[in-house]
Amino acid sequence: MLIKTRKSGDVRSSEITSESVYEDRRRFLKMGGQFACVGMGLVVAGCGDAADTRSTRKPAGSGYDDVPQLSAPDWLKEKVASYQSSRFTTDETLTPYASVAGYNNFYEFGYSKDDPAKYAKNMKTDPWSLVVEGEIEKPGKYTLEDILKPHDVEERIYRLRCVEAWSMVIPWVGVSLANMFKRFQPNSRARFVQFETLYDPEQMPGQRSRLSAIKYPYVEGLRIDEAMNPLAFMAIGLYGKTLPPQNGAPLRLVVPWKYGFKSIKSIVKIRFTETMPQTTWVKSGPSEYGFYANVNPEVDHPRWSQKQERRLPNSIWEPNQIETQKFNGYGEEVAHLYKGMDLRKFY
Ligand code: MTE
């Protein structure tokens, strides 16, 4: 990656996390051309509802009305539409849908921020199944419907802070990860959990590149107590509709106190383990990316500062540069998980 000094408000043409990834993007771009462009409706930002009220419909102008319902099975559309508001909310302005679904990192579909929206649009997400294995009493291959059936869905409005120093505020729809995990009955040896993204080079052009800097399938992990924390969430929708493929349809992790790369997309496997699992970014750049990856303005990335972030959407005229908060502002809920740990060492 070219090392250059950025002005704080610059909108980067490529928000790339490592030199090798940057190079790979250039190779990837040469593969482009055979895919059609996806059209995104521009919507206006609004605020979340009051806590704990039924809200299947938002007031006009809140940014929800114009969000397209993409192709998805009827049962899933209905499930998502049945969401209730929750106590996990914020009065910060929502990031417009156009940015949430148009400015993405999903390297399986390319390295430019607009590649995932273009190239993931025809990704097949139905039928979908999830393999759950390892240190649990109820291993198996579950259909998405079986996984979701027992759970009520809720909306959670969370900040998402990318390690690249941009951020969004996103109204997710989904289920508590802890509630989902309790059904699998982790045993006493289950100290960690690993998540794995779909591996399907035919659908995912980024996985076809033999020169890719990232080894696929994309994998991520959590300590079991992190996974069982009430904030951890499995998303199946956003803005009241099913997840767009570029945001990780049909099932995507959301851990808002950690850098965005922990929030793995399009999950097909969950493995409960006794030892700390491999993760894609620790494999790719262990000196730059750690297993914990908690948002921390006191620990800079080796190549850039983590003290501030660019809240999207922004422009040269409106840089929207804001201070980054420790644990992305969720310290009250999660700081105890790291008591006594040196967060410079366990970054
Ligand atoms: N999951 C997979 N499978 N592949 C990816 O490239 N990118 C991560 C994360 N999950 C990624 C992924 C990164 S770096 C970020 S910042 C978030 O997804 C971005 O999520 P968004 O595109 O929904 O904003």
Side-chain angles (χ1 to χ4, degrees), residues 62-295:
S62 60
Y64 285 67
D65 290 345
D66 303 330
V67 170
Q69 174 57 72
L70 305 170
S71 142
D74 287 342
W75 70 265
L76 184 57
K77 287 184 204 164
E78 282 158 27
K79 185 94 192 169
V80 171
S82 73
Y83 74 87
Q84 306 197 15
S85 297
S86 75
R87 68 189 168 93
F88 301 96
T89 188
T90 168
D91 54 12
E92 286 161 89
T93 303
L94 298 187
T95 303
Y97 177 81
S99 299
V100 175
Y103 187 94
N104 299 102
N105 278 338
F106 199 167
Y107 296 123
E108 287 87 336
F109 291 100
Y111 292 126
S112 283
K113 292 294 184 269
D114 56 356
D115 282 342
K118 284 185 211 162
Y119 304 134
K121 92 171 176 160
N122 294 322
M123 180 181 164
K124 198 167 177 290
T125 56
D126 178 46
W128 194 267
S129 53
L130 180 70
V131 172
V132 190
E133 60 184 30
E135 302 294 350
I136 48 169
E137 301 305 321
K138 306 263 181 206
K141 186 172 182 176
Y142 299 86
T143 65
L144 184 63
E145 201 166 1
D146 282 342
I147 288 283
L148 297 174
K149 206 179 284 168
H151 301 288
D152 287 335
V153 293
E154 55 181 303
E155 179 177 75
R156 295 190 179 189
I157 303 179
Y158 280 154
R159 293 176 285 279
L160 174 85
R161 169 50 158 94
C162 180
V163 75
E164 298 161 342
W166 53 263
S167 66
M168 302 195 195
V169 179
I170 304 177
W172 301 104
V173 175
V175 303
S176 143
L177 191 65
N179 287 348
M180 182 186 281
F181 277 10
K182 279 176 202 153
R183 284 170 56 210
F184 307 136
Q185 299 177 17
N187 64 36
S188 58
R189 287 183 300 278
R191 294 181 52 232
F192 294 91
V193 58
Q194 187 187 46
F195 303 84
E196 190 173 305
T197 293
L198 177 70
Y199 181 73
D200 187 349
E202 252 176 55
Q203 288 200 80
M204 297 175 148
Q207 293 179 340
R208 292 202 290 271
S209 163
R210 275 179 287 129
L211 302 166
S212 172
I214 297 175
K215 296 282 165 269
Y216 294 109
Y218 193 104
V219 282
E220 256 310 332
L222 295 173
R223 227 170 47 192
I224 195 80
D225 58 340
E226 296 179 315
M228 301 308 273
N229 183 276
L231 278 183
F233 198 54
M234 199 60 104
I236 57 170
L238 57 82
Y239 267 107
K241 303 278 169 55
T242 56
L243 275 182
Q246 61 269 32
N247 293 96
L251 196 62
R252 174 249 172 89
L253 183 68
V254 183
V255 275
W257 70 98
K258 293 179 177 286
Y259 289 121
F261 66 83
K262 298 294 287 185
S263 291
I264 180 172
K265 298 178 172 182
S266 306
I267 298 167
V268 291
K269 192 181 277 184
I270 298 178
R271 188 179 300 122
F272 292 76
T273 62
E274 204 168 357
T275 53
M276 187 179 276
Q278 278 278 23
T279 67
T280 288
W281 289 102
V282 171
K283 268 191 278 182
S284 303
S287 60
E288 304 198 339
Y289 307 102
F291 178 83
Y292 286 95
N294 293 315
V295 175

